[in-house]
Structures are given as structure tokens and as C-alpha cells.
């Protein structure tokens, strides 16, 4: 593990492993380090893949469960059902998925090491030397999450607008169906939503709130229990984490260092989804780094920033979600099914045509 590398990536998550796999395929010597003891040991995501993510980096069938419908609930639990012809989401067995992605990166030629903590990096004769690890690299990528230590050490921007999420995995619940249940409820999920996801050998129940609010998943579970019989099932595991919604950070790179994934704010400010973006921009970052190191190309950060899709309408919609009484509209909108489905379809499927 010690020695010189073309690229060191801090963080063996979705973005870091996508970058590592692609960079190794392009002939770079790549090392990924992560403070976790094993892949997916600390999970901070629901692990839901949009169809584009599954197409970009297909996960094995045993690790995913196809979901074709969304039920969107108002606080009264009145709901509408959304479906877009030919479009699917995928819940995942997330620990297994992370192990699969790490293996894929290794098979491509990257070295992936766990139980390795990033402390800092210092310039040393044109390379960066990682403090206390005996590692030098020509380029450093921080894919180490919302509170990135690479960002802190390099003096890059930090995520400031966040959601707090908590999720419990229950034994499978029959009433969950093969449907993604989303609950807009400003009392129990102020600033975002709650959800029930029929997962792989489990049912995921979670809530995310504005960072200034307290998460109360017990209240959320109690509210849903009469409909879903949650209390009749055992809680298998619990997890939680922070979700950046500020969009791409302004200063996310410098000459030999770049942030990607959650560390760079590469998450939809509206839906808080980031896995597909992690795959796409992780690969793009690798392409740009290889061109920079092998062909004296443009600064990789400039390339990624120019290509990044940071749709303004999503930031505007996030403002509406935070400041307007949308639940009142929802209660009325449930009755105005056609119009409401078009708006909701744009949010969840990024398209207006919804069956």
C-alpha cells in the first residue's frame, strides 16, 4: 500500500469507487482508502437506485428489488399513485452492494484498503504526501462524505445546507407492496419527507428533516402503524446521516485535489438523490484526471464543473418546499389528480408524462 500512486481517493462510497474503477481502467495506479473496517460497514443512505444508475453500473439481481410505482401521501394519508411507463427504481441490499462495487474496482486494477484514516496531505516535490501513511500521490480525490476531511485539510468549501436522516430496517412488511411510499408531512418530517421502501429481505422506514429540526422516527412509525402494522415487525438495524442540499460547492477543487460525491455537494437539492450523480461524475472525474496526468490536459475540476448539471428549477422547487404551505396544496391536489400527477411526476421521474 505504501509508495507512490497516480491517484489516491479518500472514501470507498459510490463516487469514490466509480472514480477508482474508471481511473484504473484508464491505466492509472489507483489507491482507495477508507476509515471503515469493511465495505458498507457504516451505511448513511437508503440505497435506492434510479433506473439510470442501475443502467450505468448494473448491480447483481440478488442485491436489488425492482419498484415501479410511487405512492405520495399527504399528512392525512390520502395518496396518489405515480408510475411512468417503462421506468423503475431499485431498492438494494446496500452492504452487499458496497462490497460488490469495491470488488469491481479491485478487478479493474485499483487497490482498496479499509481501516485507513485520512489525516492530511502535504506537498512534497510536486506530489502530495498523506500524513502518517507513507503514501504519495500525483492527485488526490476527496470522496469522503458530507463532512469531508479532505475539504477541511485543503481549505475547500464545505457543505452548509443539510438534511438529517434516520432509517430503521424492519422485518419484511406485507402491506408495503412493491411500491415506494413517500410521506410529505411538515409535522413529522419538516423540510423533507418520510418513506417506506420495500427492500431486499427487509422493509426500510425512514424520515429526513431540515438540519435545524429534530428527527422523531418513533412518532412517524406510530403515525403509520395503523395502516402498515409496523409494530408487529422487529427492527433489524438502524442507520442515519446528513444529506447535503446546497448543490455543487463553488470551490470544490484546486491544482492537485478535487472533491466528488457528497463531499462536493453533488446531490439533487430537491430529491436529495446522489447515487446516479456519484456514478456519472465519479467516472467523469477519472477521465479528466487521466487526461490531466497523462496528456497535460485541463484542470480536472474545471472539466467537472463545466459538465455538472445543476438544474435551476430544482433549486427553485427546493425553495418552494421550504417556504410554501405545500401540504395544503397537496390535500387539494389529491383531488386535482391530473395536474398534481404532472407536477409530482416531474419531481420523481424528471419528466411530466406520468401514467
Amino acid at each position: 500500500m505504501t509508495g507512490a500512486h497516480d491517484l489516491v481517493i479518500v472514501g470507498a462510497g459510490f463516487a469514490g469507487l466509480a472514480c477508482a474503477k474508471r481511473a484504473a481502467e484508464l491505466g492509472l495506479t489507483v489507491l482507495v482508502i477508507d476509515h471503515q473496517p469493511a465495505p458498507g460497514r457504516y451505511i448513511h443512505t437508503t440505497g435506492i437506485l434510479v433506473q439510470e444508475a442501475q443502467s450505468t453500473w448494473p448491480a447483481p439481481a440478488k442485491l436489488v428489488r425492482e419498484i415501479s410505482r410511487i405512492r405520495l401521501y399527504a399528512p392525512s394519508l390520502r395518496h396518489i399513485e405515480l408510475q411512468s411507463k417503462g421506468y423503475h427504481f431499485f431498492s438494494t441490499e446496500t452492504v452487499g452492494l458496497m462490497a460488490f462495487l469495491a470488488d469491481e474496482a479491485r478487478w479493474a486494477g485499483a487497490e482498496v484498503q479499509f481501516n485507513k484514516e485520512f489525516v492530511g496531505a502535504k506537498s512534497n516535490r510536486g506530489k502530495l504526501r498523506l500524513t502518517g501513511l507513507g503514501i504519495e500521490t500525483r492527485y488526490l480525490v476527496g470522496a469522503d462524505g458530507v463532512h469531508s476531511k479532505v475539504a477541511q485539510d485543503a481549505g475547500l468549501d464545505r457543505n452548509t445546507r443539510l438534511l438529517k436522516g434516520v432509517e430503521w430496517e424492519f422485518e419484511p412488511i406485507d402491506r408495503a407492496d412493491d411500491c415506494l411510499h413517500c410521506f410529505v408531512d411538515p409535522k413529522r418530517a419538516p423540510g423533507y419527507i418520510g418513506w417506506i421502501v420495500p427492500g431486499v429481505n427487509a422493509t426500510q422506514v425512514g424520515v429526513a428533516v431540515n438540519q435545524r429540526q429534530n428527527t422523531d422516527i418513533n412518532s412517524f412509525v406510530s403515525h403509520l402503524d395503523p395502516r402498515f402494522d409496523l409494530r408487529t415487525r422487529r427492527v433489524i438495524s438502524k442507520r442515519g446521516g446528513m444529506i447535503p442540499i446546497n448543490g455543487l460547492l463553488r470551490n470544490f477543487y484546486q491544482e492537485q485535489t478535487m472533491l466528488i460525491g457528497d463531499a462536493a455537494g453533488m446531490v439533487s437539492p430537491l430529491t436529495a438523490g446522489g447515487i446516479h450523480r456519484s456514478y456519472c461524475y465519479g467516472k467523469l472525474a477519472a477521465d479528466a484526471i487521466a487526461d490531466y496526468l497523462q496528456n497535460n490536459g485541463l484542470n480536472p475540476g474545471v472539466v467537472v464543473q463545466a459538465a455538472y448539471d445543476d438544474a435551476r428549477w430544482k433549486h427553485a422547487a427546493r425553495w418552494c418546499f421550504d417556504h410554501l404551505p405545500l401540504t395544503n396544496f397537496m390535500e387539494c391536489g389529491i383531488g386535482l389528480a391530473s395536474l398534481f400527477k404532472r407536477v409530482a411526476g416531474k419531481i420523481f421521474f424528471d419528466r411530466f408524462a406520468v401514467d
Side-chain angles (χ1 to χ4, degrees):
M1 187 197 72
T2 58
H5 301 267
D6 293 322
L7 172 62
V8 169
I9 299 168
V10 181
F14 295 104
L17 293 172
C19 184
K21 179 176 182 290
R22 179 61 174 167
E25 290 170 344
L26 293 172
L28 300 186
T29 55
V30 181
L31 170 65
V32 182
I33 62 172
D34 196 292
H35 71 283
Q36 299 182 85
R41 179 61 62 89
Y42 308 131
I43 297 294
H44 304 292
T45 174
T46 60
I48 295 176
L49 304 176
V50 296
Q51 183 163 292
E52 294 85 352
Q54 176 66 353
S55 298
T56 299
W57 196 348
K62 66 180 181 180
L63 297 178
V64 299
R65 178 174 178 176
E66 186 177 293
I67 300 172
S68 59
R69 295 173 295 136
I70 294 175
R71 285 186 189 151
L72 185 61
Y73 294 79
S76 65
L77 297 185
R78 298 172 65 197
H79 69 270
I80 59 171
E81 192 160 298
L82 307 172
Q83 189 171 15
S84 186
K85 187 175 182 180
Y87 193 93
H88 306 284
F89 297 89
F90 298 85
S91 59
T92 64
E93 197 280 278
T94 315
V95 175
L97 175 60
M98 299 314 302
F100 164 77
L101 299 180
D103 285 342
E104 289 263 291
R106 289 189 179 107
W107 292 333
E111 187 177 359
V112 184
Q113 294 286 338
F114 293 91
N115 275 320
K116 296 295 183 294
E117 187 83 27
F118 175 83
V119 177
K122 300 293 183 183
S123 181
N124 182 43
R125 292 177 295 180
K127 296 182 180 179
L128 293 174
R129 188 172 186 84
L130 274 60
T131 304
L133 295 177
I135 297 168
E136 286 189 338
T137 183
R138 299 171 66 194
Y139 202 92
L140 177 66
V141 164
D144 51 338
V146 62
H147 298 303
S148 169
K149 290 187 177 181
V150 174
Q152 181 179 5
D153 180 68
L156 298 172
D157 283 354
R158 313 285 294 280
N159 291 292
T160 55
R161 296 189 61 207
L162 306 169
L163 299 173
K164 295 188 293 189
V166 177
E167 184 175 86
W168 291 356
E169 281 196 338
F170 287 80
E171 294 174 323
I173 296 169
D174 295 335
R175 293 190 182 185
D177 303 319
D178 286 325
C179 182
L180 174 58
H181 304 264
C182 298
F183 302 85
V184 179
D185 188 334
K187 179 180 178 180
R188 298 171 184 87
Y192 192 50
I193 60 171
W195 59 87
I196 295 179
V197 179
V200 180
N201 302 318
T203 298
Q204 300 164 225
V205 180
V207 62
V209 305
N210 186 288
Q211 67 188 93
R212 297 183 298 273
Q213 305 293 327
N214 294 320
T215 53
D216 187 355
I217 193 170
N218 273 302
S219 173
F220 181 61
V221 169
S222 296
H223 178 59
L224 300 182
D225 186 54
R227 176 167 294 202
F228 292 96
D229 288 334
L230 298 176
R231 298 295 188 185
T232 65
R233 295 294 189 270
R234 180 173 60 91
V235 176
I236 302 170
S237 65
K238 299 180 180 181
R239 58 200 186 199
M242 307 297 289
I243 309 163
I245 55 170
N246 40 235
L248 182 66
L249 299 175
R250 182 183 298 273
N251 298 310
F252 70 97
Y253 66 91
Q254 50 190 223
E255 186 61 30
Q256 291 177 279
T257 306
M258 176 167 52
L259 308 176
I260 59 174
D262 284 10
M266 293 178 173
V267 174
S268 168
L270 180 56
T271 65
I275 297 177
H276 183 231
R277 292 184 183 213
S278 290
Y279 286 173
C280 290
Y281 294 106
K283 291 174 64 177
L284 177 62
D287 288 337
I289 292 166
D291 185 52
Y292 175 73
L293 296 179
Q294 296 171 341
N295 307 312
N296 199 29
L298 291 174
N299 185 304
V302 173
V303 176
V304 172
Q305 188 172 52
Y308 191 77
D309 176 21
D310 201 14
R312 291 182 180 272
W313 75 267
K314 293 183 180 180
H315 288 276
R318 163 51 58 182
W319 186 93
C320 292
F321 197 95
D322 289 339
H323 294 89
L324 300 181
L326 295 183
T327 52
N328 295 337
F329 171 74
M330 280 193 66
E331 295 288 9
C332 297
I334 295 296
L336 303 172
S338 179
L339 173 61
F340 193 79
K341 280 190 174 183
R342 285 172 60 83
V343 174
K346 179 62 177 174
I347 293 172
F348 285 99
F349 300 101
D350 202 19
R351 64 194 72 180
F352 278 116
V354 177
D355 298 335

